[in-house]
Amino acid sequence: MATTLSFFQLNDVHGYLILHQELFYGPTGPEYRPCGGYARIATLLQQWRQQYPENLLFDGGDTFHGTRPVVDTQGEILVPILNELGVAGMTAHWDFAYGPDRLRQLVKQLNYPLLAANVYEKASGELVYPPYQVYETAGLRVGVIGLACPIVDKTMPAHFGEGLRFTDGTAELPRYVAELRGPERVDLVVLLSHCGFPQDVALLQAHPGVDVCLSSHTHNRLYEPFRAGDCLVMQSGAHGSFVGRLTLTVENGRVTAYDHELREVSADLTPDPALQARIDAALLPYASLREVVGVTATGLHRGTSVECPADDFLLASIRALVPADLYFSNGWRYGAPIPPGPVQLNDLYDLVPMDPEIETVELSGAELRQMLEKNLEGTYSQDPLHQMGGYVKRALGLKAYFKAENPKGSRLQTVFIKDQPLDPERTYKAAYITSQGVPLQYGRNRRKTGQHIVAVMRAYLTQHRPMVVHPHATFVVV
């Protein structure tokens, strides 16, 4: 007898509680329109649940970080909102931003579990979270394995993963698939992963036995599932601008048919009134974020992997106030775009919600080259499991020609600093934000400047009205 079961997916919402601008790729370049917000997501979920009554909703993580109200409350503002959605389970990445103990506190308040088969206590070797959960629905036993983002203890600030060890899932996935298929006697195995789309595909191809992968981290908008062997892989954009649905027909423990939909959470969806009222009340203390602090003539987004106008603006703001040879920020993917027109204070916090202090450091030319090569390997590694998430490091003051397809350590062709060839013996002063901009293993004489990035961007907008951002072609693919 055939059974129908639907999976609903949220991933990489990054704390966007309300309607916000989203980037779309049009025939002539970037386009923008408002999307998202949990009250509109709730409306869409209500519609789907009426149409597909047998369902499970999962959240792929990057939930408790990304907007100022969420960061300011260390995720607390989201808990009552998330508990209204009927989520069955989640996994994590930036959710560790306030430290492992704080994430444990948040999870205890949720009415669903956090699943992570690859996060261990360093001291004891014990798992921190359940590796999987079995759900009984539609007459089926569904085993869901969670994999948190494996880079938390590798490229993120140290306090994120303090006392924890994260693996890439290669040992854990086949172990728990076998456990679910064997003693647990499940009908379907699902992977809820924040490893990233390329990483998930590599894992699934190496370790068969998973029926569905709910992929996250890389912000892919998959308008149809990708097949990794016999596994259907879905991923549903970012910022809560999309919700994904995968409806399976299951017969005798086999998926015989499926129907998939990636639905834009568009502005014409009527927000759920009760949830919208709850969100509006929670945001009342943050009304000052709506202040207009400037005007941009250039659309500011992070939708391109090599260079983007949002971080060109951010780094130009630092350069205007902090003398240095070079300027760095991380290649973050998150952050709603800012279309041409008025810029609100909230928009600046969307780019860097933690508002870090700008710091300086002295780097040798040899260290600089090593740092850039490591970043390019983390972005373009030929082994997906060695990709470390994010885009190419954002920079000003240099011009680097590189071959993305080259093997590790050989991508940089030529590098110039202020129009002069990179000198491995010379010392360069770099200004940066966060240890993801310039990791702690590089350089010496780190100093705080007393300047925080949101105020610096605001000052730049005051001096440039309207602001025009021209591409710097800092990194050039050859």
Side-chain angles (χ1 to χ4, degrees), residues 264-281:
E264 181 182 332
V265 183
S266 56
D268 58 8
L269 273 169
T270 302
D272 176 83
L275 192 55
Q276 188 65 59
R278 184 191 286 269
I279 293 169
D280 291 343

Side-chain angles (χ1 to χ4, degrees), residues 162-184:
E162 187 175 3
L164 303 183
R165 179 175 65 88
F166 293 72
T167 72
D168 63 12
T170 53
E172 293 82 2
L173 183 60
R175 170 188 169 186
Y176 291 115
V177 168
E179 192 168 318
L180 289 169
R181 293 288 185 192
E184 293 284 4

Side-chain angles (χ1 to χ4, degrees), residues 24-58:
F24 294 85
Y25 302 102
T28 60
E31 299 175 353
Y32 308 92
R33 57 180 177 264
C35 292
Y38 279 109
R40 284 178 170 79
I41 290 170
T43 294
L44 177 54
L45 291 172
Q46 289 162 14
Q47 293 174 358
W48 275 356
R49 283 176 171 137
Q50 290 177 359
Q51 191 173 358
Y52 308 98
E54 301 292 350
N55 59 77
L56 291 167
L57 167 64
F58 289 97

Side-chain angles (χ1 to χ4, degrees), residues 302 306-308 310-320 322-332 351-352 354 356-376 391-400 412 415-418 422 426-440 442-444 446-447 449 451-453 456-457 472 474-475:
R302 282 182 170 151
V306 175
E307 184 178 311
C308 68
D311 287 298
D312 282 346
F313 154 56
L314 182 154
L315 293 169
S317 302
I318 301 176
R319 184 172 60 183
V322 180
D325 301 305
L326 298 161
Y327 301 86
F328 293 110
S329 67
N330 188 51
W332 293 304
L351 296 180
V352 253
M354 51 284 195
E357 186 174 356
I358 299 162
E359 299 182 52
T360 61
V361 65
E362 295 174 2
L363 296 164
S364 71
E367 286 178 306
L368 179 61
R369 188 177 188 94
Q370 182 185 358
M371 181 180 78
L372 297 179
E373 281 282 10
K374 186 172 182 179
N375 174 245
L376 291 171
Y391 292 144
V392 174
K393 189 180 298 295
R394 310 310 194 182
L396 280 182
L398 63 81
K399 195 173 191 75
L412 288 172
V415 181
F416 295 93
I417 310 295
K418 292 185 174 181
L422 174 67
R426 181 177 167 182
T427 296
Y428 299 93
K429 183 179 179 181
Y432 67 97
I433 54 171
T434 85
S435 60
Q436 290 180 282
V438 178
L440 296 176
Y442 301 110
R444 64 214 57 80
R446 288 178 183 256
R447 304 194 190 287
T449 65
Q451 305 265 16
H452 284 257
I453 188 60
V456 168
M457 289 190 290
H472 294 275
T474 305
F475 287 88

